[in-house]
Amino acid sequence: MKGRVRLLLALLLVAGIVLALSLGGGLDVRTLEHWVASAGLAGPLIFIAFYTVATLLFLPGSLLTLAGGALFGPLWGTLINLTGATLGAALAFLAARYLAADWVQGRAGGLLKRLIQGVEAEGWRFVAFTRLVPLFPFNLLNYALGLTRLPFGQYLLATAVCMLPGALAYTWLGYAGREAIAGGEGLIRKGLIALALLAALLFLPRLIARLRRPP
């Protein structure tokens, strides 16, 4: 009975992902912004819930992060974006662990088994590295890590902390873009800050590679 429930949930999740990806090209961020703006005090909660579900269904988080910066500003926008992304990453991790981790662990062999063991040996350090370096597919990685025996607490904390630089950079970029369209004050300064944050984000892989390199 338990196996049938897992299979049914897995099929529903896959169907939701396929449907979301088929409609993902029509994701209208402006419509979402209108809904959030018209919701008043509940707007941030609606945005977080949408971001969470979008992460679970493989919808592009970068567009939502830019929209969060435009809607809520650089500080609150970063917090709201980070909350939605972290909740979505947590749900994807738990879904993979509950639905497929036992099956994968029981059948993994060869290269796949060594890969899983390597990730588990690195633990939270692997999660931190992949979150800091914006080269790994975020949505897919959430599910993949759920197939390992990484402790959920370590995964969640490393995810929340190490996604902060990227969330701040893209949120500020969305905020600066909205200010440019609205003709706000200090556009040059805000634009330079956005460029500096993006440059720092792009430099992170090289910095982390140097830190991880043995003497």
Side-chain angles (χ1 to χ4, degrees):
M1 183 64 181
K2 189 176 181 180
R4 293 181 179 179
V5 172
R6 287 187 178 184
L7 179 60
L8 177 60
L9 292 176
L11 291 175
L12 289 175
L13 179 60
V14 171
I17 292 173
V18 171
L19 180 61
L21 290 177
S22 64
L23 300 176
L27 178 63
D28 192 345
V29 177
R30 291 186 178 180
T31 301
L32 174 62
E33 291 179 349
H34 175 72
W35 289 346
V36 172
S38 61
L41 295 177
L45 296 178
I46 293 176
F47 188 88
I48 289 173
F50 188 88
Y51 203 133
T52 301
V53 175
T55 301
L56 193 65
L57 298 181
F58 283 81
L59 292 178
S62 55
L63 293 178
L64 294 175
T65 306
L66 294 172
L71 282 169
F72 306 110
L75 298 180
W76 281 110
T78 298
L79 177 61
I80 291 169
N81 284 329
L82 186 62
T83 301
T86 302
L87 289 175
L91 285 180
F93 179 93
L94 293 174
R97 173 155 294 182
Y98 176 74
L99 297 176
D102 292 340
W103 186 87
V104 171
Q105 290 283 351
R107 290 164 177 78
L111 179 60
L112 178 59
K113 184 175 182 179
R114 292 196 298 272
L115 180 62
I116 292 175
Q117 290 174 345
V119 171
E120 292 171 349
E122 283 285 317
W124 68 267
R125 293 181 295 273
F126 182 85
V127 181
F129 176 72
T130 54
R131 298 311 190 192
L132 286 171
V133 178
L135 301 177
F136 298 90
F138 172 68
N139 294 330
L140 180 61
L141 188 65
N142 298 328
Y143 284 97
L145 291 174
L147 300 177
T148 69
R149 293 190 176 93
L150 283 174
F152 176 68
Q154 291 184 15
Y155 166 83
L156 187 63
L157 182 60
T159 293
V161 172
C162 296
M163 284 199 308
L164 179 58
L168 177 60
Y170 280 97
T171 301
W172 191 286
L173 186 62
Y175 164 70
R178 172 57 64 88
E179 289 293 297
I181 294 175
E185 297 180 357
L187 292 180
I188 295 179
R189 177 176 60 85
K190 294 172 182 176
L192 289 176
I193 291 175
L195 291 176
L197 290 172
L198 287 176
L201 189 64
L202 294 175
F203 183 73
L204 272 178
R206 181 177 299 180
L207 176 62
I208 294 173
R210 288 185 177 182
L211 293 176
R212 290 174 60 88
R213 187 181 304 162

